[in-house]
Amino acid sequence: LPSSRSQGVYWRVCSLEFIGAFGDRMWLFAIPILFEEIWPGTLLPVAVYNFVLYLLLIIIMPLGGTLIDRQPRMKLMTMAIIIDNIFVSLASALTLMTSFYIGNDDVLWFLLAAVILCSVVAQFFADVGTNA
């Protein structure tokens, strides 16, 4: 039987993964709505965001399988949770920055690209952490 200490660590990691995964899903739901507020009248940024996000995830996901195969599970889950939360925070901060540049299309498209890159990293590690 596992010790109570290892069970406590296990439950803490599982609860953190649940909270992180829930936050990621909420973020993936909210970001198209936020982009619609920033770019009213067009769905192009939302479409670009989703298309590029999932295209890049399809391309880099084999790396996730390699990470899962080669890293110890607890270390990988801990690393995935930390990196995922850092990049979700960065993506949300960049999205907030877009509200200061409404009307300046060059800056908005640059911020959209930065949000996409942060979201790709965050979603990659969320998927890796979930599948570890």
Side-chain angles (χ1 to χ4, degrees), residues 7-115:
Q7 284 181 337
V9 170
Y10 173 78
W11 284 109
R12 276 187 279 167
V13 170
C14 287
S15 63
L16 287 173
E17 175 60 28
F18 172 76
I19 292 168
F22 181 74
D24 290 340
R25 299 307 180 264
M26 290 298 292
W27 177 248
L28 285 174
F29 174 76
I31 199 154
I33 296 169
L34 295 171
F35 283 165
E36 183 57 33
E37 291 292 321
I38 295 165
W39 284 280
T42 181
L43 292 175
L44 181 63
V46 176
V48 167
Y49 173 82
N50 284 313
F51 178 74
V52 174
L53 174 72
Y54 290 109
L55 179 67
L56 289 175
L57 283 173
I58 289 169
I59 292 169
I60 66 171
M61 213 32 145
L63 178 62
T66 304
L67 279 172
I68 292 169
D69 291 341
R70 293 186 180 170
Q71 295 293 324
R73 183 163 294 174
M74 190 62 76
K75 178 182 174 186
L76 180 63
M77 285 183 71
T78 304
M79 178 185 69
I81 291 168
I82 292 169
I83 294 173
D84 174 33
N85 288 328
I86 288 170
F87 278 90
V88 167
S89 298
L90 282 172
S92 60
L94 289 167
T95 303
L96 175 65
M97 286 178 61
T98 60
S99 65
F100 301 119
Y101 293 100
I102 292 176
N104 188 343
D105 286 343
D106 293 335
V107 175
L108 286 176
W109 284 104
F110 173 77
L111 288 172
L112 175 65
V115 169

